[in-house]
Amino acid sequence: QTVVTQEPSFSVSPGGTVTLTCGLSSGSVSTTNYPSWYQQTPGQAPRTLFYNTNTRSSGVPDRFSGSILGNKAALTITGAQADDESDYYCVLYMGSGIWVFGGGTKLTVL
Amino acid sequence: EVQLVESGGGLVQPGGSLRLSCAASGFTVSNNHMSWVRQAPGKGLEWVSIVYSGGSTYYADSVKGRFTISRDNSKNTLNLQMNSLRAEDTAVYYCARGANSGTYLAPGSWGQGTLVTVSS
């Protein structure tokens, strides 16, 4: 069974740039996996950042960007701010109607 | 304004059943792709099920044969019938409308979730 992989944790300095990735345990991520990205803070519902690889959801600042980098989907934050400290999840379409979330990345801004 | 409000969560014994509902406002459920996503305490998000606007349904292997997703067009709600519940089904259950006003399959708008606890 294919697993969606994300870095368990990442740290970035305020004002810095960080790229979180979303891969597959077997194979490469492409646009046909329709990668989407979500931000979640403790006790809150997820917030949609991107869908269909790089389509920004309403209200998401343009310092966030979505892309395919090599064989993975990527979420890049440029000019990180303190309130970007959150859990970030990706989800991929695996075909046959099935979606699979990654395990999430806990981002620390310090 | 688009709003999703889940209800029906609670404490249930292993092997029991529960029916979750998600009341939608600001749009018509039957015209949108709609999903259920869950999150066990302290864990990550897990995709559970989806119903396409055209009516096709799909399930994660972990719930296939036990859970049923459906729509009640008269009440504009999304439902999740959960049978043969197990301890590992304990989670906050979120309903979500597809992104881009329901035209994309990936979750876009989210409800606040309802907690299901399976325990004796």
Side-chain angles (χ1 to χ4, degrees), chain A residues 59-75:
Chain A
V60 175
D62 59 9
R63 56 197 180 77
F64 288 86
S65 62
S67 64
I68 298 288
L69 286 180
N71 62 351
K72 296 183 179 182
L75 174 70

Side-chain angles (χ1 to χ4, degrees), chain B:
Chain B
E1 180 191 2
V2 169
Q3 195 170 14
L4 297 164
V5 179
E6 301 93 337
S7 61
L11 176 64
V12 61
Q13 292 188 339
S17 298
L18 210 56
R19 184 177 180 86
L20 305 183
S21 291
C22 172
S25 56
F27 70 99
T28 302
V29 165
S30 62
N31 293 339
N32 289 257
H33 305 313
M34 299 290 298
S35 299
W36 287 98
V37 175
R38 68 184 180 183
Q39 187 169 36
K43 303 297 184 182
L45 300 175
E46 181 186 11
W47 179 83
V48 173
S49 181
I50 189 170
V51 56
Y52 288 8
S53 58
S56 298
T57 59
Y58 300 93
Y59 301 90
D61 284 346
S62 58
V63 306
K64 193 177 299 182
R66 301 187 298 123
F67 290 12
T68 302
I69 191 172
S70 64
R71 303 178 298 209
D72 185 333
N73 296 340
S74 66
K75 297 181 179 178
N76 203 34
T77 61
L78 177 73
N79 300 313
L80 187 68
Q81 177 67 42
M82 305 186 295
N83 298 331
S84 303
L85 283 162
R86 307 165 179 166
E88 55 264 37
D89 295 318
T90 294
V92 173
Y93 285 73
Y94 296 100
C95 75
R97 180 194 191 193
N100 196 29
S101 301
T103 61
Y104 277 81
L105 298 173
S109 305
W110 299 73
Q112 284 303 303
T114 187
L115 176 63
V116 172
T117 303
V118 184
S119 174
S120 55

